[in-house]
Amino acid sequence: MHSRFHLPDWNELSASDDRTLPLLGTALLIARDEYPTLDADLYDSMLQGHVEHVREQVESVEAWPQKMAAINRHLFDELGYAGDSEHYYDPRNSYLNEVFDRRLGNPISLALVQIEVARRLGIPLDGVSFPGHFLVRLPVDDGVLVMDPFNRGRPLDEDELRQRARPHLNGEAPDDRALFQILNPATHRAILMRVLRNLHGVYAERDDWERAARSADRLLRLSPDNGEALRALAYLKMGYRQGARADLARYLQLNPDAQDSGPLRERLVELSSGPARTN
């Protein structure tokens, strides 16, 4: 009998270490902010259905890359999961319930589905916080196999990885050591924080400051030393000066040498004096 799927509680997440922080549960918790009636058990069962459908195929081959190829065939060819290149910044691409329902997502949400299915079948698939597009990685005999979930799990060779990283590294292609570092496995916390940063960016771009503030607030629940500057920006736009002031002060206290500390200090001085100003 399949037991009810447990969703974590926001208040307990900052205390969870990276090994115990649940990936699927927290991703669904993020989605529940936008979809309060979301049935987490339904999506856990849906994921388990994907696993059971492909289990026999996966267990009939020995090598992990072949097992992964069977999973990718099932997810991307048979079930039709795909990267939403047409509406890349649609917030639904970041909410896992929508990704399951629409079979469309952005790189990180598709990676989440891939990772959860693979791990339930005993395959140690990890996420990679690659600059630009999120990727996944699998250990193989002589290193790692890196795949692109946004493009049907296509494997990427070293040359392509260097080219993809180049625009994010001032036009320089990373050397072996830098590339190896970039390809480090992402922790669950890092993955979930990237989901929330994506949502914050989407909502800020749309001037939806209430949802932007919510995303930044959730970021702070996951990692109390992150996100004050993001939430302060949203609070300012909403005209909530007191909250903006508190967040900026804490951000500057924790990050006195941050690149943006100069302009943020000036903003804090402005907020601490003078009449209320909205913009």
Side-chain angles (χ1 to χ4, degrees), residues 119-254:
R119 287 183 182 172
R120 288 185 186 198
L121 289 161
I123 301 160
L125 190 67
D126 277 311
V128 177
S129 261
F130 203 78
H133 271 196
F134 196 85
L135 302 172
V136 293
R137 52 168 275 166
L138 183 70
V140 290
D141 297 341
D142 51 352
V144 288
L145 170 66
V146 180
M147 290 164 283
D148 181 357
F150 196 68
N151 290 297
R152 308 162 73 89
R154 184 169 71 79
L156 304 173
D157 64 20
E158 263 183 61
D159 286 345
E160 188 169 353
L161 289 166
R162 285 183 212 282
Q163 289 312 314
R164 283 186 178 210
R166 190 190 277 269
H168 305 277
L169 302 171
N170 301 322
E172 301 279 317
D175 60 21
D176 287 355
R177 189 162 159 268
L179 186 61
F180 187 71
Q181 275 186 316
I182 293 170
L183 292 174
N184 269 339
T187 63
H188 287 187
R189 184 169 264 104
I191 293 172
L192 295 158
M193 285 169 67
R194 187 156 165 169
V195 170
L196 286 164
R197 282 205 180 91
N198 285 348
L199 280 167
H200 178 276
V202 165
Y203 288 132
E205 191 64 34
R206 295 175 169 209
D207 285 335
D208 186 343
W209 293 105
E210 207 169 304
R211 284 185 170 88
R214 182 182 72 196
S215 307
D217 179 69
R218 295 320 196 188
L219 203 53
L220 281 163
R221 298 293 182 103
L222 274 182
S223 179
D225 297 344
N226 271 282
E228 283 93 350
L230 289 182
R231 191 170 66 177
L233 171 68
Y235 280 167
L236 276 174
K237 296 283 187 181
M238 291 158 70
Y240 178 32
R241 292 166 60 94
Q242 192 183 343
R245 201 161 54 222
D247 276 358
L248 280 182
R250 182 167 157 78
Y251 175 76
L252 290 166
Q253 184 192 346
L254 288 169

Side-chain angles (χ1 to χ4, degrees), residues 108-119:
I108 198 163
S109 61
L110 293 168
L112 261 158
V113 175
Q114 239 185 336
I115 288 167
E116 284 290 325
V117 169
R119 287 183 182 172

